[in-house]
């Protein structure tokens, strides 16, 4: 992306991102007027519209090599490499310890329930 701050057709690099190829021959611009006072402006958003521009066959031929935007090595969110499947030993250990934990929880539940029943019985002494 090139920038011409002074409007003198002296273009300088504004952004250079390796692996990003944008179509050539497209422009967008911003301007602001502050009157006699100087002020800083922040560009919050841009609305871009495509204009129909007549181009010479030479421009079409030159710009045909990069027609669509392309990004090399793009990693999209949610597009991580698939996880490797678990080995048989890891799967066995997960299932085994899960069953042991479930049995342990059931035994503790039975003990607590029996103690609760003993305490809730009415004693006639």
């Amino acid at each position: 992306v090139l920038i011409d701050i002074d409007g003198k057709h002296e273009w300088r690099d504004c952004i250079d991102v390796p692996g990003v190829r944008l179509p050539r021959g497209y422009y967008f611009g911003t301007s602001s007027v502050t009157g006699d006072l100087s002020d800083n402006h922040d560009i919050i958003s841009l609305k871009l519209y495509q204009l129909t521009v007549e181009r010479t066959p030479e421009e079409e031929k030159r710009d045909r090599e990069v027609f669509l935007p392309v990004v090399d090595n793009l990693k999209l969110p949610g597009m991580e490499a698939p996880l490797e499947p678990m080995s048989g030993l890891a799967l066995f250990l997960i299932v085994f310890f899960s069953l042991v934990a479930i049995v342990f929880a059931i035994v503790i539940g039975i003990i607590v329930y029996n103690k609760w029943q003993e305490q809730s019985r009415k004693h006639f002494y």
Side-chain angles (χ1 to χ4, degrees):
V1 175
L2 302 172
I3 189 169
D4 177 22
I5 294 177
D6 299 324
K8 297 179 183 176
H9 298 290
E10 296 174 3
W11 298 93
R12 298 181 301 147
D13 283 336
C14 176
I15 300 172
D16 185 16
V17 180
V20 175
R21 293 188 304 270
L22 298 174
R24 298 176 192 204
Y26 291 92
Y27 303 92
F28 65 91
T30 60
S31 64
S32 62
V33 177
T34 60
D36 292 335
L37 302 173
S38 68
D39 196 5
N40 292 332
H41 295 273
D42 294 329
I43 299 172
I44 304 299
S45 67
L46 293 173
K47 288 185 180 182
L48 304 174
Y49 301 94
Q50 183 173 352
L51 301 175
T52 304
V53 178
E54 292 186 26
R55 303 174 77 163
T56 64
E58 293 83 27
E59 289 175 329
E60 289 289 335
K61 184 178 179 184
R62 183 190 70 214
D63 296 337
R64 190 173 300 154
E65 65 188 42
V66 180
F67 184 67
L68 294 175
V70 178
V71 178
D72 298 334
N73 302 324
L74 177 66
K75 292 184 181 178
L76 296 174
M79 297 294 291
E80 293 87 20
L83 298 175
E84 295 181 16
M86 284 193 279
S87 68
L89 178 63
L91 186 60
F92 170 76
L93 289 175
I94 290 173
V95 170
F96 176 75
F97 285 115
S98 297
L99 290 174
V100 167
I102 290 171
V103 169
F104 183 73
I106 290 172
V107 169
I108 295 296
I110 290 172
I111 291 172
V112 169
Y113 179 73
N114 286 337
K115 291 287 184 182
W116 177 75
Q117 273 192 340
E118 283 180 18
Q119 289 179 354
S120 66
R121 278 192 233 155
K122 295 183 179 179
H123 296 285
F124 298 106
Y125 296 141

